[in-house]
């Protein structure tokens, strides 16, 4: 058997093995990319739910008179925060942890009726600052969510707060249905 005959005998086998190895590599790479896209898709849904719930939370804390609806928003918010801590990347989780204090403090400044004497000497300026801090921290989370979703964003955290629509003047009217 000559050298060219031996190559002719082994060449189809080598080509088949190279094709199988290449296919296995591409399959593994594509499977990994598909899983990454699936996780990102799940996060996007979670991010939208979180943003919607925080918008509702903000609305109830600034203008609503419906305690039951607010507490439902709080319950949804707590669930979504827990899901974010499990599913979101570190940058979003870090922003969420920084947001927590502003999130939990805001209702204590909102839980009074218009004209009611300010509890614990909390004036309108303090309430305005609490709402501003809530918006700033929420804006930082939204910015991190955008970076995670789009890998790069030109929208700053400050712009996100402005678009989110936090009220310029607080009209507290909590407590009555």
């Amino acid at each position: 058997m000559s050298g060219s005959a031996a190559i002719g005998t082994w060449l189809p086998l080598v080509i088949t093995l190279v094709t199988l190895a290449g296919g296995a590599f591409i399959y593994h790479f594509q499977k990994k990319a598909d899983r990454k896209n699936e996780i990102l898709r799940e996060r996007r849904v979670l991010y939208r739910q979180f943003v919607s719930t925080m918008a509702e939370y903000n609305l109830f804390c600034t203008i609503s008179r419906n305690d039951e609806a607010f507490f439902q928003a709080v319950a949804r918010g707590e669930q979504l925060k827990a899901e974010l801590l499990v599913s979101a990347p570190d940058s979003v989780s870090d922003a969420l942890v920084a947001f927590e204090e502003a999130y939990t403090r805001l209702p204590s400044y909102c839980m009074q009726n218009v004209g009611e004497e300010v509890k614990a000497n909390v004036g309108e300026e303090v309430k305005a600052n609490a709402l501003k801090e809530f918006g700033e921290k929420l804006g930082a989370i939204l910015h991190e969510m955008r970076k995670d979703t789009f890998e790069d964003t030109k929208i700053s955290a400050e712009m996100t707060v402005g678009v989110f629509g936090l009220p310029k003047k607080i009209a507290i009217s909590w407590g009555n249905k």
Side-chain angles (χ1 to χ4, degrees), residues 143-175:
H143 181 70
E144 291 302 325
M145 288 175 176
R146 285 187 56 80
K147 284 187 352 188
D148 178 42
T149 301
F150 301 111
E151 295 181 5
D152 189 24
T153 182
K154 293 182 183 194
I155 296 179
S156 68
E158 293 78 20
M159 290 170 64
T160 308
V161 172
V163 171
F164 192 73
L166 293 170
K168 303 295 183 222
K169 181 169 171 44
I170 301 176
I172 305 297
S173 59
W174 188 293

Side-chain angles (χ1 to χ4, degrees), residues 46-118:
L46 186 58
Y47 292 166
R48 284 192 296 270
Q49 290 174 344
F50 178 79
V51 170
S52 175
T53 299
M54 289 302 107
E56 193 175 356
Y57 179 91
N58 177 55
L59 178 68
F60 287 128
C61 197
T62 55
I63 62 174
S64 178
R65 301 179 78 86
N66 189 336
D67 291 342
E68 184 178 333
F70 173 76
F71 291 118
Q72 288 173 359
V74 168
R76 279 192 310 278
E78 291 301 314
Q79 177 185 359
L80 290 168
K81 287 189 310 177
E83 290 181 38
L84 282 172
L85 287 173
V86 170
S87 301
D90 290 349
S91 60
V92 174
S93 296
D94 289 344
L96 183 63
V97 169
F99 170 71
E100 183 64 22
E101 187 177 339
Y103 170 81
T104 56
R105 183 177 34 224
L106 188 60
S108 66
Y109 296 129
C110 296
M111 296 182 89
Q112 52 195 318
N113 295 320
V114 173
E116 182 179 296
E117 187 169 325
V118 178

